[in-house]
Amino acid sequence: MTDVVLITGAGIGIGRAAALAFAAAGHHVVVTDVLEPEGRAVVAEIAAAGGRAEFHRLDVRSTEAADALVADIEARHGRIDIIVANAGIAHKVPLSELSDDKWDHTLDIDLKGIFRVIRPALPGMKARRKGAIVALSSIMGVAYGWDEHVHYSAAKAGVVGLVRGLGVELARDGIRVNGVAPGYIRTAQLLSKEHSVGPDADKCGEYIPMGRIGEPEDIADVILFLASDAARYMTGQVVVVDGGLLVGRY
Ligand code: NDP
């Protein structure tokens, strides 16, 4: 059966790859992002391949916008089956400059922004006793500390707690909640010289056991699995997808 899938931050990177993967699997994908041309391009790409998708601008900092979009999707499609809460930022800020505003900005997107899109969809998922939610954490939230990114690490560790709490509270409602903690993945976030590794990110492959950084599709396929019935007995888990980085570094 075709599922209705809501994905945040789906114009580029991991969200885009997830949108293409769900569409290729036959689902109807609601592509959302603050990046409008990029989001619309993903919908066009899906349509050109014979898939079904629609674009809506959604800034996950707005509770009103998230509530309204969920209501709109449910009114038109009758349901939301799957949510991929993917939108996130990773701004480099040394501790000496980490003001309340900068802290709040990252937590508002990377942690609260995940809860904002999930919350309004829960009554419908509960009523239908069907739902699968996948949230994006990071190896920087589950194992590593990341200097000059402590707000990001805190938010991504918070995603782990959010996934666990939701997973338990929603388990008897037929709703599963899991997360993915990617390692180094070739996206705009990783390739940013200002905020992360920069354009020569391939050098990180030297210390990754599999010998390469990840591609967005490496994460998208795991998201697709976690949202599928193949993961029907999994909830509250955050799966590390990092080419062996965490287990291989001594
Ligand atoms: P990208 O920066 O490539 O894509 C993230 C998307 O989210 C962008 O389109 C971005 O727009 C959008 N976005 C930012 N703020 C908001 C907002 N307020 N509301 C809606 N959308 C927003 O990131 P990735 O694909 O790399 O990352 C996807 C997720 O995976 C993130 O949560 C990230 O933290 C996580 N992750 C990524 C890793 C990696 O190595 N790439 C590693 C570990 C985790 P804009 O470009 O304008 O900011």
Side-chain angles (χ1 to χ4, degrees):
M1 183 185 164
T2 300
D3 283 332
V4 177
V5 187
L6 169 62
I7 308 180
T8 64
I12 60 175
I14 292 167
R16 171 183 172 274
L20 297 176
F22 277 99
H27 302 304
H28 181 90
V29 184
V30 181
V31 174
T32 74
D33 206 315
V34 288
L35 302 178
E36 294 201 38
E38 289 82 352
R40 292 190 193 285
V42 172
V43 169
E45 198 175 343
I46 289 171
R52 294 175 47 198
E54 61 187 73
F55 175 76
H56 299 270
R57 186 183 190 283
L58 176 65
D59 185 331
V60 299
R61 289 174 297 175
S62 169
T63 297
E64 292 71 26
D67 290 353
L69 179 59
V70 166
D72 173 59
I73 297 166
E74 289 182 334
R76 287 183 297 106
H77 296 289
R79 65 196 194 281
I80 294 174
D81 302 294
I82 295 167
I83 293 176
V84 181
N86 162 80
I89 59 168
H91 289 178
K92 181 177 183 175
V93 185
L95 273 180
S96 58
E97 294 167 24
L98 190 50
S99 61
D100 279 4
D101 282 351
K102 286 180 179 163
W103 173 276
D104 289 347
H105 182 62
T106 290
L107 273 285
D108 200 24
I109 295 171
D110 289 7
L111 182 55
K112 200 170 177 182
I114 288 180
F115 185 56
R116 275 197 191 93
V117 295
I118 295 170
R119 179 172 50 194
L122 294 179
M125 286 182 170
K126 283 183 181 178
R128 291 182 299 279
R129 298 194 55 75
K130 181 176 185 242
I133 296 164
V134 183
L136 269 293
S137 179
S138 167
I139 55 167
M140 302 306 180
V142 304
Y144 282 176
W146 196 5
D147 56 316
E148 301 186 318
H149 293 78
V150 300
H151 51 338
Y152 178 79
S153 289
K156 292 299 185 180
V159 173
V160 177
L162 181 68
V163 163
R164 288 178 180 157
L166 289 173
V168 172
E169 187 161 343
L170 297 169
R172 291 189 185 215
D173 293 308
I175 303 168
R176 297 183 303 102
V177 186
N178 291 290
V180 178
Y184 292 84
I185 311 301
R186 190 191 313 280
T187 69
Q189 181 174 305
L190 183 75
L191 299 174
S192 165
K193 196 172 175 57
E194 185 187 357
H195 294 299
S196 188
V197 173
D200 54 350
D202 278 312
K203 68 178 184 222
C204 300
E206 287 167 24
Y207 54 79
I208 294 170
M210 285 191 180
R212 64 171 178 88
I213 64 169
E215 303 298 332
E217 293 73 19
D218 295 327
I219 305 301
D221 283 347
V222 178
I223 294 171
L224 188 64
F225 159 71
L226 287 172
S228 78
D229 200 44
R232 62 193 167 275
Y233 199 53
M234 286 181 73
T235 200
Q237 298 301 310
V238 176
V239 180
V240 173
V241 186
D242 68 348
L245 179 61
L246 293 189
V247 293
R249 201 132 190 232
Y250 320 112

